[in-house]
Amino acid sequence: MEKLREALRERGSRLTPQRLAIYEHLRDTKSHPSAETIYGELKARYPSLSLNTVYQTLQVLDEIGLAQKLPVESREARYDGNATGHAHLICLECERIWDIDGEALPAVSEIDRQAEKKGFKVVRNQVQVYGVCPDCQAKGR
Amino acid sequence: MEKLREALRERGSRLTPQRLAIYEHLRDTKSHPSAETIYGELKARYPSLSLNTVYQTLQVLDEIGLAQKLPVESREARYDGNATGHAHLICLECERIWDIDGEALPAVSEIDRQAEKKGFKVVRNQVQVYGVCPDCQAKGR
DNA sequence: TATCTAATTAGTTGTTATTCCTATTACTGC
DNA sequence: GCAGTAATAGGAATAACAACTAATTAGATA
Ligand SMILES: [Mn+2]
Ligand SMILES: [Mn+2]
Ligand SMILES: [Zn+2]
Ligand SMILES: [Zn+2]
């Protein structure tokens, strides 16, 4: 929470209950939710919350580096409270998203290096593997 | 063209002038255009072409493996006549897209391997590096 | 602590890429 | 040529998200 307050202050922004709730929700989940999902999950505790505020807050969190937007194949973007560069595993059937940790990082760095070799100034990357998760493979039998 | 005809037949679909035009256009460009751009570029030669047909055709080409849809950060999807797994370089300023070829491929495969290690059945991947291209860096001075 | 003011919010309306719908057109096999 | 089916064009619908605005609030200041 202090991290959030500090990052907001640097930007000349205020810490509101809505921003705190969305920040903590993202921090505490591994599910990479959509804006709509976050809205639905917080609505019970914050009945006056508006979807618009969720969108605005997610944008702010993205800008101050405390979250990232994941543009995926499905229509709605998903959000990640972990803003560090890491690869994602996305199930085409259940649309759940998992992190690929550790061992994929050197590969991602290698790709960045290739980009820099072409004179690109790299800002961020999106590495997403689409497929079918073990659960859905089992169901699909 | 025979490749297209054959792939369409297998799917029980017909080879129409619109499909051929879109297929060839994608095959002959390196620009990873959007549906709207393709529409604009073919409209002169095929005045009756509709945007809807462009969308439908791109979906068909994707399904039969002769093109792929690239979901990118900007609102409109971009399309690639090269359906093999390869990484992309995307300029955040001019929105142009380039392939990262050669040396980056093993890294892309390595990420797939990590996904498989987790029990995932990999279908495809999207590896995108966002940044600023040399042209835009020069302009930005 | 009370006051002040710019930032933020909720609610609403606007935008736009993409999909849906349907009447017409065009292949394809007979 | 004709019947049957698939594809197209054009327009309407959808849905995620952005823009707008009046009312509220965080938090700096005295
Ligand atoms: Mn993640
Ligand atoms: Mn490409
Ligand atoms: Zn699944
Ligand atoms: Zn550029």
Side-chain angles (χ1 to χ4, degrees), chain A residues 91-96 98 132-136:
Chain A
C91 179
L92 291 163
E93 297 191 7
C94 63
E95 308 221 287
R96 283 182 295 173
W98 293 264
V132 186
C133 75
D135 286 358
C136 290

Side-chain angles (χ1 to χ4, degrees), chain A residues 13-14 16 18-19 48-50 52-53 56:
Chain A
S13 298
R14 295 173 179 171
T16 63
Q18 293 91 334
R19 284 175 174 169
S48 77
L49 183 68
S50 83
N52 193 354
T53 297
Q56 288 179 176

